[in-house]
Amino acid sequence: MSRALFTAAVLLGTSLSLAAPALANTAYDGVWLFDDTPPTPGVTMMQVTSKGGKIEGTVTTQWYGPVEMLNPHVTDGALKFDTRNINDREHPTRPWSVAIEGGKAHLKGRIWESEVDASGYRGKAKDAQAHAFKFSAPLPALGAPIPSKLAATPPMGWSSWNKFAEHIDDKTVRAMADAMVSTGLRDAGFLYVNIDDGWQGKRDANGVLQPNEKFPDMKALTDYVHSRGLKIGIYSSQGPRTCAGYEGSYGHVRQDAQTYADWGFDYLKYDLCSGEWFYDDADTVKRSYYEMGAALQATGRDFIFSLCEYGRFDVGSWGRDVGGQLWRTTGDITDDYPTMAKIGFDKNGKPEWAGPHGFNDPDMLEIGNGGMSADEYRTHMTLWAMSAAPLMMGHDLRETSPETLAMLTNPRVIAVDQDAKGVQAKALRKQGTMEVWAKPLADGRVALALFNRGDAAGSLALTPGDAGLTAVTQVEDVWSGAKSAKLPASYTVPARGAVMVVVGG
Ligand code: GLA
């Protein structure tokens, strides 16, 4: 059965409903229910029918809805089939098996990053109805581009994910807001305090999403963060489940946008996650973001809309049209130099898409988390500033060391990132392990960065030509603030380190 037919059939509730007992001719036929399996993919049900030796079936998951059994066949005492496996070119399908043991169905297989090894028990037709996945209404068509007056410069703030992952709660968010003020980070320009994945509870009878027990009162929390002179962000997915397996906005997009507005949020990060199963081409991914962008706009409240689909389908070319001010261009950062360098140097989006009100987002900062050396973190901050990247801190702000604070609040570095021209630097030339990047600034000067990606110190000269000038008469070292009238004969850059200057003619 084609995917479209299959989806239509499930929508209509026709196919894959229970076969009449007379037609059941394998031990696997029927409805099998699974309780309490891990939330990704969260298997809730398996349905198998067979007729004249032809087997059909689905495994219903919270993550992807009903997953069709491809090529199901009985062999070696087990029902074997494949599943479509999104987002993994090397394994576009994965093998699964079901064995009946002691009257239970033992289901094994893998999909996305989830391993399933679960036991299901027999259910009835009414159980199948109760467990049926509820498909959302079709995506609306794209409308006119959604205009944005927000984020003239790259958004700055803090996000809970890199340090706390899903172990985030009301108390910690308040503590981060307090620390943002007491450390001076707020006054240096860091404005947003963003709750990432892990805040979601269940929907009430009207479908309104409730926070989980770690967030007793969202309105009180946003009021508190606002009272500290800050703004506050929240997180969801267009899929049924978020990346950490929490309730997503699938089927509830407008309702959730209104909930965030009612609670007083100012920022939404919208993460594709399980939505990749339903929206797997440029058109549907774009429309799924447009749906939420339009829903946020319809609330009448100002939201920064942060798109997170890991750079698929050249997101920078349409991110603004769907209402986004920033869009992730890569997979997730981790607190180590190779990952940071790979995404920052090699994987960030095309510079031509960046500019006021819309920025490529190579992911959040790891500075302060301890996995990189001071030189490596300096490279991280220099590269993000040169790239006009959003600056979302990712450490425990209560434990900001003086060195970390100095690195994050250097006003000259922030000024390069926040420059009004909004240009994302390009690599001009590469020589051995050294790279020279240039970022034209609004006042006519040019920020130049010299990166050493090697494991030993290296030297290289910067030239006026790197800045598009015939002569350089003013040089400011961005990190130290030291000024001079000319470029030195060469710069020595430590292993995995960086130098950043602003030059003028
Ligand atoms: C994805 C995103 C991360 C983070 C997690 C949360 O992996 O890319 O930035 O939001 O989901 O589950």
Side-chain angles (χ1 to χ4, degrees), residues 192-259:
Y192 289 90
V193 176
N194 291 347
I195 307 168
D196 205 281
D197 210 351
W199 64 268
Q200 309 89 329
K202 300 275 170 240
R203 294 188 184 277
D204 71 12
N206 297 318
V208 178
L209 186 54
Q210 307 297 311
N212 59 37
E213 64 289 348
K214 295 186 296 169
F215 290 88
D217 187 341
M218 279 300 199
K219 182 74 180 79
L221 178 58
T222 66
D223 283 348
Y224 183 78
V225 172
H226 290 146
S227 77
R228 313 290 347 237
L230 295 160
K231 292 188 180 288
I232 180 162
I234 197 160
Y235 167 98
S236 191
S237 168
Q238 57 268 70
R241 286 287 183 275
T242 64
C243 290
Y246 291 81
E247 184 77 22
S249 293
Y250 184 84
H252 297 271
V253 173
R254 285 187 79 105
Q255 190 174 34
D256 286 358
Q258 193 56 52
T259 301

Side-chain angles (χ1 to χ4, degrees), residues 5-23:
L5 261 180
F6 169 73
T7 306
V10 177
L11 269 170
L12 294 169
T14 52
S15 135
L16 311 173
S17 58
L18 272 184
L23 301 179

Side-chain angles (χ1 to χ4, degrees), residues 28-34 43-48 57-60 69 79 81 97-100 105-107 121:
Y28 309 94
D29 282 56
V31 175
W32 300 88
L33 305 175
F34 294 78
V43 174
T44 56
M45 177 167 64
M46 179 177 78
Q47 286 170 284
V48 179
T58 55
V59 176
T60 299
M69 293 181 179
L79 171 62
F81 60 92
S97 68
V98 187
I100 306 297
H106 187 193
L107 177 66
Y121 56 94

Side-chain angles (χ1 to χ4, degrees), residues 428-443:
L428 290 181
R429 57 191 172 97
K430 302 186 182 186
Q431 201 167 318
T433 64
M434 310 286 276
E435 296 189 9
V436 177
W437 290 53
K439 175 180 183 355
L441 303 177
D443 66 5

Side-chain angles (χ1 to χ4, degrees), residues 63 112 159 161-162 165-166 196-198 200 235-236 242-246 269 271-273 308-310 328 330-333 363-364:
W63 183 254
W112 186 61
S159 160
W161 187 253
N162 284 358
E166 58 199 280
D196 205 281
D197 210 351
Q200 309 89 329
Y235 167 98
S236 191
T242 64
C243 290
Y246 291 81
K269 174 174 167 184
D271 197 351
L272 185 58
C273 303
C308 182
E309 45 84 282
Y310 337 112
R328 276 275 296 281
T330 72
D332 290 10
I333 195 167
D363 207 358
M364 302 169 288

